[in-house]
Coordinates of all heavy atoms in Angstrom, one line a residue:
R26 N 81.6 247.9 251.5 CA 81.1 249.1 250.7 C 82.1 249.5 249.7 O 81.7 250.2 248.7 CB 80.6 250.1 251.7 CG 79.2 249.9 252.4 CD 79.0 250.9 253.4 NE 79.9 250.9 254.5 CZ 79.6 251.3 255.7 NH1 78.5 252.0 255.8 NH2 80.3 251.1 256.8
N27 N 83.3 249.1 249.9 CA 84.4 249.5 248.9 C 84.7 248.3 248.0 O 85.8 248.1 247.6 CB 85.6 249.9 249.7 CG 85.4 251.1 250.5 OD1 84.7 252.0 250.2 ND2 86.1 251.1 251.7
Y28 N 83.8 247.5 247.8 CA 84.0 246.2 247.0 C 84.6 246.4 245.6 O 85.3 245.5 245.1 CB 82.8 245.3 246.9 CG 81.6 245.8 246.3 CD1 81.5 245.7 244.9 CD2 80.6 246.6 246.9 CE1 80.4 246.3 244.2 CE2 79.5 247.1 246.2 CZ 79.4 246.9 244.9 OH 78.3 247.4 244.2
K29 N 84.2 247.4 244.9 CA 84.7 247.7 243.6 C 86.2 248.0 243.6 O 86.9 247.9 242.5 CB 83.9 248.8 243.0 CG 82.5 248.5 242.6 CD 81.8 249.5 241.7 CE 80.4 249.2 241.4 NZ 79.7 250.2 240.6
D30 N 86.8 248.4 244.7 CA 88.2 248.6 244.8 C 89.0 247.3 244.9 O 90.2 247.3 244.7 CB 88.6 249.5 246.0 CG 87.9 250.8 246.0 OD1 87.7 251.3 244.9 OD2 87.8 251.4 247.0
I31 N 88.4 246.2 245.1 CA 88.9 244.9 245.4 C 88.6 243.9 244.2 O 89.4 243.2 243.9 CB 88.5 244.4 246.8 CG1 88.9 245.3 247.8 CG2 89.2 243.0 246.9 CD1 88.4 244.9 249.2
L32 N 87.3 243.9 243.9 CA 86.8 242.8 243.1 C 86.5 243.2 241.6 O 86.2 244.4 241.4 CB 85.4 242.3 243.7 CG 85.4 241.9 245.2 CD1 84.0 241.7 245.8 CD2 86.3 240.7 245.4
S33 N 86.7 242.2 240.8 CA 86.5 242.4 239.4 C 85.1 242.0 238.9 O 84.6 241.1 239.6 CB 87.5 241.7 238.6 OG 88.8 242.1 238.8
P34 N 84.5 242.6 237.9 CA 83.1 242.2 237.7 C 83.0 240.9 237.1 O 83.9 240.4 236.4 CB 82.7 243.3 236.5 CG 83.7 244.4 236.7 CD 84.9 243.8 237.3
E35 N 82.0 240.1 237.5 CA 81.7 238.7 237.0 C 82.9 237.9 237.1 O 83.3 237.2 236.2 CB 81.2 238.9 235.5 CG 80.0 239.6 235.4 CD 79.3 239.5 234.0 OE1 79.9 239.0 233.1 OE2 78.0 240.0 233.9
S36 N 83.5 237.8 238.3 CA 84.7 237.0 238.5 C 84.6 236.0 239.5 O 85.5 235.1 239.7 CB 85.9 238.0 239.0 OG 85.5 238.6 240.2
V37 N 83.4 235.8 240.0 CA 83.2 234.8 241.2 C 82.1 233.9 240.8 O 81.0 234.3 240.3 CB 82.9 235.5 242.4 CG1 82.3 234.6 243.5 CG2 84.1 236.3 243.0
D38 N 82.2 232.5 241.1 CA 81.2 231.6 240.7 C 80.1 231.6 241.9 O 78.9 231.5 241.6 CB 81.8 230.2 240.6 CG 82.7 230.0 239.5 OD1 82.2 230.1 238.3 OD2 83.9 230.1 239.7
W39 N 80.5 231.6 243.1 CA 79.7 231.4 244.4 C 80.1 232.5 245.4 O 81.3 232.6 245.7 CB 79.7 230.1 245.0 CG 79.2 228.9 244.1 CD1 80.0 228.2 243.3 CD2 77.9 228.4 243.8 NE1 79.3 227.3 242.6 CE2 77.9 227.5 242.9 CE3 76.6 229.0 244.4 CZ2 76.8 226.7 242.5 CZ3 75.6 228.2 244.0 CH2 75.7 227.1 243.1
I40 N 79.1 233.1 245.9 CA 79.4 233.9 247.2 C 78.7 233.0 248.3 O 77.5 232.7 248.3 CB 78.7 235.2 247.2 CG1 79.3 236.1 246.2 CG2 79.0 235.9 248.6 CD1 78.6 237.4 245.9
I41 N 79.5 232.5 249.2 CA 79.0 231.7 250.3 C 79.5 232.4 251.6 O 80.7 232.5 251.9 CB 79.6 230.3 250.3 CG1 79.2 229.6 248.9 CG2 79.1 229.4 251.4 CD1 79.8 228.2 248.8
T42 N 78.5 232.8 252.5 CA 78.9 233.7 253.5 C 77.8 233.7 254.7 O 76.7 233.2 254.5 CB 79.0 235.1 253.0 OG1 79.5 235.9 254.0 CG2 77.5 235.7 252.6
D43 N 78.2 234.2 255.8 CA 77.4 234.1 257.0 C 77.6 235.5 257.7 O 78.4 235.7 258.7 CB 77.9 233.0 257.9 CG 77.1 233.0 259.2 OD1 75.9 233.5 259.3 OD2 77.6 232.4 260.3
P44 N 76.8 236.6 257.2 CA 76.9 237.9 257.8 C 76.4 238.0 259.2 O 75.6 237.1 259.7 CB 76.0 238.8 256.8 CG 75.7 237.9 255.7 CD 75.8 236.4 256.1
P45 N 76.7 239.0 259.9 CA 76.2 239.2 261.3 C 74.6 239.3 261.3 O 74.1 240.0 260.4 CB 76.9 240.5 261.8 CG 77.3 241.2 260.6 CD 77.6 240.1 259.5
Y46 N 74.0 238.8 262.4 CA 72.6 238.8 262.5 C 71.8 240.0 263.1 O 70.7 240.2 262.8 CB 72.1 237.5 263.2 CG 72.6 236.2 262.5 CD1 72.6 235.0 263.3 CD2 73.1 236.2 261.2 CE1 73.0 233.9 262.7 CE2 73.5 235.0 260.6 CZ 73.5 233.9 261.4 OH 73.9 232.6 260.9
P47 N 72.5 240.7 264.1 CA 71.7 241.8 264.8 C 71.2 242.7 263.8 O 71.6 243.0 262.8 CB 72.9 242.3 265.7 CG 73.8 241.2 265.9 CD 73.8 240.5 264.6
K48 N 70.1 243.6 264.4 CA 69.4 244.5 263.6 C 70.3 245.6 263.1 O 70.1 246.1 261.9 CB 68.3 245.0 264.4 CG 67.4 245.9 263.7 CD 66.1 246.5 264.5 CE 65.2 247.3 263.8 NZ 64.0 247.8 264.7
K49 N 71.3 246.0 263.9 CA 72.1 247.2 263.4 C 73.0 246.9 262.2 O 73.6 247.7 261.6 CB 73.0 247.6 264.6 CG 74.1 246.5 264.9 CD 75.0 247.0 266.1 CE 76.0 246.0 266.5 NZ 76.8 246.6 267.6
F50 N 73.0 245.5 261.8 CA 73.8 245.1 260.6 C 72.9 244.8 259.4 O 73.4 244.3 258.4 CB 74.6 243.9 260.9 CG 75.6 244.0 262.0 CD1 75.6 243.5 263.2 CD2 76.8 244.9 261.6 CE1 76.6 243.7 264.1 CE2 77.9 245.1 262.5 CZ 77.8 244.5 263.8
L51 N 71.8 245.2 259.5 CA 70.7 244.9 258.3 C 71.2 245.6 257.1 O 70.9 245.2 256.0 CB 69.3 245.3 258.7 CG 68.5 244.4 259.5 CD1 67.1 245.0 259.8 CD2 68.3 243.0 258.8
W52 N 71.9 246.7 257.3 CA 72.4 247.5 256.1 C 73.3 246.6 255.2 O 73.4 246.9 254.0 CB 73.2 248.8 256.4 CG 74.4 248.5 257.3 CD1 74.5 248.4 258.6 CD2 75.7 248.3 256.7 NE1 75.8 248.2 259.0 CE2 76.5 248.1 257.9 CE3 76.1 248.3 255.4 CZ2 77.9 247.9 257.7 CZ3 77.4 248.1 255.3 CH2 78.4 247.9 256.5
V53 N 74.0 245.6 255.8 CA 75.0 244.9 255.0 C 74.3 244.0 253.8 O 74.9 243.8 252.8 CB 75.8 244.0 255.8 CG1 76.5 244.7 256.9 CG2 74.9 242.8 256.4
Y54 N 73.0 243.8 254.0 CA 72.3 242.9 253.0 C 72.0 243.9 251.7 O 71.9 243.3 250.6 CB 71.1 242.4 253.6 CG 71.4 241.4 254.6 CD1 71.3 241.8 255.9 CD2 71.7 240.1 254.3 CE1 71.7 240.8 257.0 CE2 72.0 239.2 255.3 CZ 72.0 239.5 256.6 OH 72.3 238.7 257.6
D55 N 71.8 245.2 251.9 CA 71.7 246.1 250.7 C 73.0 246.0 249.9 O 73.0 245.9 248.8 CB 71.5 247.5 251.2 CG 70.1 247.7 251.8 OD1 69.1 247.4 251.1 OD2 69.9 248.2 252.9
V56 N 74.1 246.1 250.6 CA 75.5 246.1 250.0 C 75.7 244.8 249.3 O 76.2 244.7 248.3 CB 76.5 246.5 250.9 CG1 77.8 246.5 250.3 CG2 76.3 247.9 251.6
L57 N 75.3 243.7 250.1 CA 75.6 242.3 249.6 C 74.8 242.1 248.3 O 75.3 241.4 247.4 CB 75.2 241.3 250.7 CG 75.4 239.8 250.4 CD1 76.9 239.6 250.0 CD2 75.0 238.9 251.6
S58 N 73.6 242.6 248.2 CA 72.8 242.5 247.0 C 73.5 243.2 245.8 O 73.6 242.6 244.8 CB 71.4 243.1 247.2 OG 70.6 242.9 246.0
E59 N 73.9 244.4 246.1 CA 74.7 245.1 244.9 C 76.0 244.4 244.6 O 76.3 244.3 243.4 CB 75.0 246.5 245.4 CG 73.8 247.4 245.7 CD 74.2 248.7 246.3 OE1 75.3 248.9 246.3 OE2 73.3 249.5 246.7
L60 N 76.7 244.0 245.6 CA 78.0 243.4 245.4 C 77.8 242.1 244.6 O 78.6 241.8 243.7 CB 78.6 243.1 246.8 CG 80.1 242.4 246.9 CD1 80.7 242.7 248.3 CD2 79.9 240.8 246.7
S61 N 76.8 241.3 245.0 CA 76.5 240.0 244.3 C 76.3 240.2 242.9 O 76.8 239.5 241.9 CB 75.5 239.3 245.0 OG 75.7 239.0 246.3
D62 N 75.4 241.2 242.6 CA 75.1 241.5 241.2 C 76.3 242.0 240.4 O 76.4 241.6 239.2 CB 74.0 242.5 241.2 CG 73.5 242.9 239.7 OD1 73.1 242.0 239.0 OD2 73.5 244.1 239.4
Y63 N 77.2 242.6 241.1 CA 78.4 243.1 240.4 C 79.5 242.0 240.1 O 80.0 241.9 239.0 CB 79.0 244.2 241.3 CG 80.4 244.6 240.8 CD1 80.5 245.6 239.8 CD2 81.6 244.2 241.4 CE1 81.8 246.1 239.4 CE2 82.8 244.6 241.0 CZ 82.9 245.6 240.1 OH 84.2 246.1 239.6
V64 N 79.7 241.1 241.1 CA 80.9 240.2 241.0 C 80.6 238.8 240.6 O 81.4 238.1 240.1 CB 81.6 240.2 242.4 CG1 80.8 239.2 243.4 CG2 83.0 239.6 242.4
L65 N 79.3 238.3 240.6 CA 79.0 237.0 240.2 C 79.0 236.8 238.8 O 78.5 237.8 238.0 CB 77.6 236.6 240.8 CG 77.5 236.2 242.3 CD1 76.0 236.1 242.6 CD2 78.2 235.0 242.6
K66 N 79.6 235.7 238.3 CA 79.3 235.3 236.9 C 77.9 235.2 236.5 O 77.0 235.0 237.4 CB 80.2 234.1 236.6 CG 81.8 234.3 236.9 CD 82.4 232.9 236.7 CE 83.9 233.1 237.0 NZ 84.6 231.8 236.9
P67 N 77.6 235.2 235.2 CA 76.2 235.0 234.8 C 75.5 233.9 235.4 O 74.3 233.9 235.7 CB 76.3 235.0 233.2 CG 77.5 235.7 232.9 CD 78.5 235.5 234.0

């Protein structure tokens, strides 16, 4: 959730990841969507 403290905008070609699957971790996909839009190159 603090990704903007670490990552620069449009600095990554691919996000390749395997987040946790249980229901209590569904919130991470909201953040992952925002993070991806922020950090991925066009």
Side-chain angles (χ1 to χ4, degrees):
R26 286 170 286 198
N27 302 323
Y28 62 87
K29 288 186 179 180
D30 296 338
I31 303 169
L32 305 170
S33 300
E35 298 189 349
S36 58
V37 167
D38 295 286
W39 297 94
I40 299 174
I41 302 178
T42 190
D43 180 25
Y46 302 163
K48 186 175 183 179
K49 66 179 181 179
F50 293 111
L51 280 175
W52 64 268
V53 303
Y54 295 96
D55 289 306
V56 181
L57 184 57
S58 181
E59 296 176 6
L60 180 157
S61 300
D62 184 51
Y63 172 81
V64 77
L65 284 172
K66 296 177 182 178

